[in-house]
Amino acid sequence: MNSKTLVIVEHDNQVLSSDTLKAISAASVLNQPVNVLVIGCNCQPVVDSVTKIEAVSAVLVADSEIYEQQLAENSALLVQNVSEGYTHLFAASTTFGKNLMPRVAALLDVGQLSDVIKIESEDIVIRPIYAGNALAKVKSLDSVKVITVRSSAFENAPVNNASNAEIQVVDINIGNDSSQLIERQKTQSVRPDLPAARVVISGGRGVGSKENFALIEQLADKLGGAIGASRAAVDAGFVSNDLQVGQTGKIVAPDLYIAVGISGAIQHLAGMKDSKVIVAINSDSDAPIFEIADYGLVGDLFEILPELTASL
Amino acid sequence: MKVLVAIKRVIDPYSKVRVKTDGTGVETANVKMTINPFCEIAVEEAIRLKESGLAEEVIVVSMGESSCQEQLRSALALGADRAIHIETDTECQPLSVAKLLKAIVEKEQPRLVLLGKQSIDSDNNQVAQMLAAITGLPQATFASEIHIEGNKIEVEREIDGGLERLRLSLPAVISVDLRLNEPRYASLPNIMKAKSKPMEQLTPEQLGVELSSSQVTLEVMPPKARQAGQIVTSVAELVDKLRNEAKVIE
């Protein structure tokens, strides 16, 4: 059987998610034809974008009102329907991919390889376990490999201006009467997306209050970076939960990660220890974060942050 | 309404994990074990549903070696009514867990199945979605708030970049996120009471489920260690290092 890959595209009906570029890049490691599936409603702008990705040879489009919200119940059935002939199904390990792909895998009666950081061959991958404290090399014996990939471990797939990908309309309409979307609130931010940012400034419990987070914001704006947070800062209500960096939040690997007032619990390190350069600013010289920081500065963040922002 | 909660026995999240030198896995001998933190949140939510009169019975289920009965007892001490232990020495991969849970769902007919969004050992984040798939039930993953209204359940979900609210028809499968609640501690009287609560023992064979493993772990390796860093003494020194040594700022 010829090997063929299908990547499930993530988007909001208008804009292609950059995580999909990472998933396509991971899929192209296998050197086999890569097709993509766009599920949505009035999603032509997304189709236009994906046809320009070099590695993509065909774009399958299921454009219908019933897919507007991209809920897992009917989306998974649709993927199951179009997946015949594919040996590999990929998606990014975002909340969209994590929600949908295991449902697809189970419908196909196969396992899933989650949050993969390296594709070794067509059936062997490497993935972190135990909050990144171990790496497992796993071989899949399944006929179809369902894989979600960690965005921070892959580069963006190259994009062309010419589009060579063939468009195939998928005329399969599967309804969904068991779940409905009531509302979706996306936080509007002028700063870069956390997983895609080149610089991330994160605050923890030590920042003390929501108001004090302004110090983190000022530094982030100066460096053109994104803002992150530890679980303690989110639980204390300093920032919204979608900024949490760690095992259960976002995984980031920017060029520069500045941890401010963060002790460095295992669960937080899981989300940022692959950053190229880590800076820790903390008043406690025994904080575990200093064990992994390239540069550590022990002191009062309320003095250090304004000085740092001013000197950049 | 009957609520089923699946729980997993895992290494305590605050323990330092050591990779075995022979590359076969991580050291689990003499390591503190506990209920997976996300499963604990699921148990807490089920108990709150019972306390608010929305649930009549809370059943906890776990699969694995006989040692996972400890975690089932802990869940009973927190307020669950009865436990089901599916005994097996075979490692259960997520699809197998989902199939075992499906058999329990068919047997017990719960209106709601609550699971943690992921276990902190294998970090798969798959079982709830797989169970929903093979039972044909609707799913809401990463729940941070749930409200039951008659035959429906409204769920707030944590998604990248924000939140969303879904309305599902019951029965449904929900996986819970950290923000859903703050789990309680078991009191001593409740720990004593839990000893006499029913614990049913079943095997995969009795449930008609064949455990298959479609994934083989070839090797478990420690992650690359980071090189030791340096402590700088002033902001000026830090900026200088970032600019001229690490070259990460202009």
Side-chain angles (χ1 to χ4, degrees):
Chain A
M1 189 170 67
N2 292 328
S3 296
K4 212 162 88 172
T5 298
L6 185 66
V7 180
I8 316 303
V9 175
E10 179 170 352
H11 62 90
D12 62 0
N13 290 319
Q14 294 298 315
V15 181
L16 169 70
S17 151
S18 63
D19 296 293
T20 297
L21 292 174
K22 315 278 191 173
I24 290 171
S25 154
S28 18
V29 171
L30 296 172
N31 284 318
Q32 58 195 37
V34 175
N35 293 1
V36 299
L37 171 63
V38 181
I39 307 171
C41 178
N42 297 324
C43 50
Q44 192 57 38
V46 180
V47 175
D48 293 342
S49 304
V50 286
T51 51
K52 292 182 181 139
I53 301 170
E54 272 179 29
V56 172
S57 56
V59 182
L60 284 60
V61 184
D63 191 322
S64 157
E65 264 172 38
I66 54 174
Y67 300 129
E68 189 179 357
Q69 314 301 349
Q70 304 163 35
L71 297 178
E73 288 76 9
N74 52 349
S75 297
L77 288 165
L78 177 68
V79 177
Q80 181 193 19
N81 259 277
V82 301
S83 67
E84 204 184 314
Y86 290 96
T87 51
H88 294 78
L89 304 180
F90 277 82
S93 186
T94 54
T95 49
F96 170 78
K98 288 173 183 173
N99 185 53
L100 175 64
M101 297 306 270
R103 191 161 180 126
V104 171
L107 291 175
L108 297 170
D109 198 30
V110 298
Q112 174 178 295
L113 300 158
S114 291
D115 215 16
V116 164
I117 59 167
K118 191 161 183 238
I119 310 288
E120 293 250 305
S121 70
E122 63 172 27
D123 55 1
I124 299 176
V125 301
I126 294 182
R127 55 177 305 266
I129 52 175
Y130 291 94
N133 287 300
L135 301 176
K137 186 188 277 192
V138 185
K139 183 184 171 80
S140 166
L141 310 174
D142 283 316
S143 54
V144 182
K145 280 76 173 169
V146 177
I147 297 171
T148 63
V149 307
R150 178 175 288 194
S151 298
S152 65
F154 297 91
E155 299 292 326
N156 282 343
V159 174
N160 256 338
N161 274 327
S163 52
N164 301 317
E166 169 203 352
I167 312 272
Q168 297 171 11
V169 174
V170 176
D171 193 16
I172 303 171
N173 291 306
I174 300 166
N176 171 21
D177 50 15
S178 61
S179 74
Q180 72 188 97
L181 180 77
I182 299 169
E183 72 173 322
R184 193 171 280 160
Q185 302 171 328
K186 293 264 188 170
T187 320
Q188 297 299 322
S189 171
V190 290
R191 299 194 183 87
D193 268 356
L194 193 43
R198 203 185 62 81
V199 176
V200 175
I201 327 290
S202 280
R205 196 196 307 270
V207 176
S209 72
K210 192 173 177 166
E211 291 67 37
N212 292 345
F213 241 82
L215 293 172
I216 306 273
E217 288 168 13
Q218 285 153 12
L219 180 57
D221 291 342
K222 200 74 177 262
L223 290 167
I227 291 179
S230 69
R231 181 183 173 192
V234 173
D235 285 352
F238 301 170
V239 293
S240 66
N241 56 274
D242 61 300
L243 298 186
Q244 185 176 327
V245 171
Q247 183 183 18
T248 64
K250 303 278 192 310
I251 311 285
V252 300
D255 290 345
L256 174 61
Y257 188 89
I258 306 182
V260 183
I262 291 176
S263 64
I266 296 168
Q267 291 76 14
H268 184 75
L269 302 186
M272 46 66 78
K273 66 181 177 178
D274 291 326
S275 304
K276 287 201 185 77
V277 174
I278 298 173
V279 171
I281 298 170
N282 207 299
S283 57
D284 175 9
S285 59
D286 292 328
I289 190 82
F290 286 117
E291 291 165 26
I292 65 147
D294 299 282
Y295 303 107
L297 185 51
V298 181
D300 182 354
L301 67 95
F302 298 104
E303 287 167 20
I304 293 171
L305 280 186
E307 195 188 334
L308 181 56
T309 306
S311 66
L312 293 169
Chain B
M1 182 173 90
K2 213 189 253 190
V3 180
L4 180 70
V5 187
I7 66 170
K8 184 177 184 184
R9 173 183 167 92
V10 297
I11 289 184
D12 184 276
Y14 299 102
S15 303
K16 182 130 181 70
V17 171
R18 282 186 312 274
V19 175
K20 288 187 195 165
T21 47
D22 65 0
T24 56
V26 306
E27 199 59 68
T28 51
N30 303 315
V31 175
K32 191 179 168 203
M33 304 297 282
T34 181
I35 299 182
N36 179 46
F38 289 97
C39 302
E40 222 172 353
I41 293 168
V43 171
E44 174 67 30
E45 198 63 21
I47 295 163
R48 289 185 190 191
L49 288 172
K50 194 179 170 194
E51 286 169 345
S52 63
L54 287 162
E56 282 93 48
E57 191 181 30
V58 175
I59 307 164
V60 284
V61 58
S62 193
M63 52 234 30
E65 294 173 7
S66 53
S67 53
C68 71
Q69 287 188 12
E70 282 170 39
Q71 278 61 47
L72 286 168
R73 283 285 169 216
S74 302
L76 293 172
L78 291 168
D81 296 293
R82 63 187 168 93
I84 301 171
H85 173 219
I86 305 170
E87 183 148 26
T88 171
D89 292 339
T90 313
E91 181 213 352
C92 295
Q93 293 180 355
L95 187 59
S96 294
V97 175
K99 286 177 181 176
L100 291 168
L101 290 176
K102 178 183 185 241
I104 301 294
V105 166
E106 281 165 359
K107 186 168 175 280
E108 297 285 350
Q109 301 284 320
R111 294 285 283 163
L112 181 62
V113 187
L114 291 171
L115 303 92
K117 79 163 177 181
Q118 77 192 67
S119 59
I120 58 156
D121 51 2
S122 50
D123 281 334
N124 278 311
N125 198 330
Q126 296 175 4
V127 174
Q129 297 88 317
M130 288 181 159
L131 173 64
I134 58 178
T135 51
L137 295 177
Q139 71 184 46
T141 48
F142 330 139
S144 55
E145 216 182 282
I146 69 174
H147 295 285
I148 292 172
E149 292 156 7
N151 268 335
K152 305 269 181 192
I153 185 163
E154 210 173 291
V155 184
E156 181 185 81
R157 301 182 58 223
E158 296 199 3
I159 57 167
D160 292 331
L163 293 168
E164 73 174 26
R165 296 187 81 81
L166 294 179
R167 189 178 291 131
L168 313 181
S169 28
L170 292 170
V173 178
I174 315 277
S175 84
V176 309
D177 216 317
L178 281 178
R179 237 76 56 188
L180 182 63
N181 62 44
E182 188 75 47
R184 70 192 67 190
Y185 293 97
S187 65
L188 189 60
N190 284 342
I191 293 171
M192 298 309 289
K193 239 193 305 187
K195 293 188 185 191
S196 54
K197 286 185 178 176
M199 170 115 49
E200 186 181 359
Q201 270 174 280
L202 293 166
T203 61
E205 294 73 35
Q206 283 168 323
L207 292 167
V209 177
E210 199 183 327
L211 300 182
S212 60
S213 67
S214 61
Q215 291 174 8
V216 185
T217 299
L218 302 176
E219 191 186 349
V220 175
M221 305 156 275
K224 209 160 80 190
R226 287 190 79 94
Q227 293 220 316
Q230 45 184 309
I231 296 289
V232 295
T233 54
S234 69
V235 168
E237 191 187 349
L238 175 63
V239 172
D240 176 62
K241 297 274 189 196
L242 292 178
R243 206 168 262 157
N244 302 314
E245 194 175 90
K247 296 188 172 38
V248 283
I249 58 171
E250 311 235 307

